[in-house]
Amino acid sequence: MTWLVAGLGNPGERYARTRHNAGAMVADILAARAGGRFKKVRFLPLDVAEIRVGEDRVLLAKSHRYMNESGPTYAGYAKKQGVGADGLVAVHDEIELPFGSLKVKRGGSTAGHNGLNSLVQALRTPDFYRVRLGVGRPPGRGDPTDWVLQPFAKREQDELSILLEEAADAALTLIEAGLARAMDRHNRNASPG
């Protein structure tokens, strides 16, 4: 089977280490572990690295478009590669989960996440897999939009490294062993605040 892992994020160095780019960071980890190299896809604003997970072909993708308009890029590439919603894994930040939490699921609400909204609209279904990385809500009454575009704090770096590696493991478990096993093995809550 062919899988598409969409590492959601924003393009460019300015956003590379921000909360909104947690998904793209996980795609980088998966590529690095398997010795895959990202290459620009012809005629699409997309970088893709191809790896193998057991018998499966796995395409790791990062869009050159901003998060809120990246859905058509991923959907177009999925269609071109013959990947349906049942083979698509969106890896993304989630402010509704406390920092350090990790949840694997299929379908459901987007919780207002603009990258997911764009993907659902382009795919015409919400029924794809998600690996959700908790980045927490902004302190006080801070603006969530500004919050996700800020880099992770220095004090968060150690836990961030663990979270990103665990999310990469969760994506691999999902592909190799299915949703139930991935949820059982990797879903975890972090304490709020």
Side-chain angles (χ1 to χ4, degrees), residues 78-160:
K79 185 174 182 182
K80 187 175 170 184
Q81 295 296 322
V83 176
D86 61 338
L88 191 132
V89 182
V91 185
H92 63 91
D93 63 301
E94 180 59 73
I95 66 168
E96 300 304 331
L97 294 175
F99 174 68
S101 297
L102 182 65
K103 299 286 182 193
V104 182
K105 72 175 206 169
R106 183 172 182 179
S109 164
T110 64
H113 190 291
N114 289 331
L116 290 179
N117 287 338
S118 178
L119 200 48
V120 167
Q121 197 169 8
L123 291 169
R124 295 194 175 102
T125 179
D127 200 26
F128 51 88
Y129 296 104
R130 295 111 189 257
V131 176
R132 306 162 66 214
L133 291 85
V135 298
R137 286 195 141 291
R141 294 178 179 234
D143 180 7
T145 303
D146 292 340
W147 174 249
V148 295
L149 297 179
Q150 291 176 13
F152 289 94
K154 279 195 169 40
R155 64 182 161 67
E156 294 174 318
Q157 293 302 318
D158 288 345
E159 193 168 348
L160 173 63

Side-chain angles (χ1 to χ4, degrees), residues 33 102 104 131 165-175 178 182 186-187:
R33 283 185 185 178
L102 182 65
V104 182
V131 176
E165 293 289 344
E166 181 83 12
D169 292 343
L172 294 177
T173 301
L174 177 61
I175 291 165
H186 300 286
N187 280 7

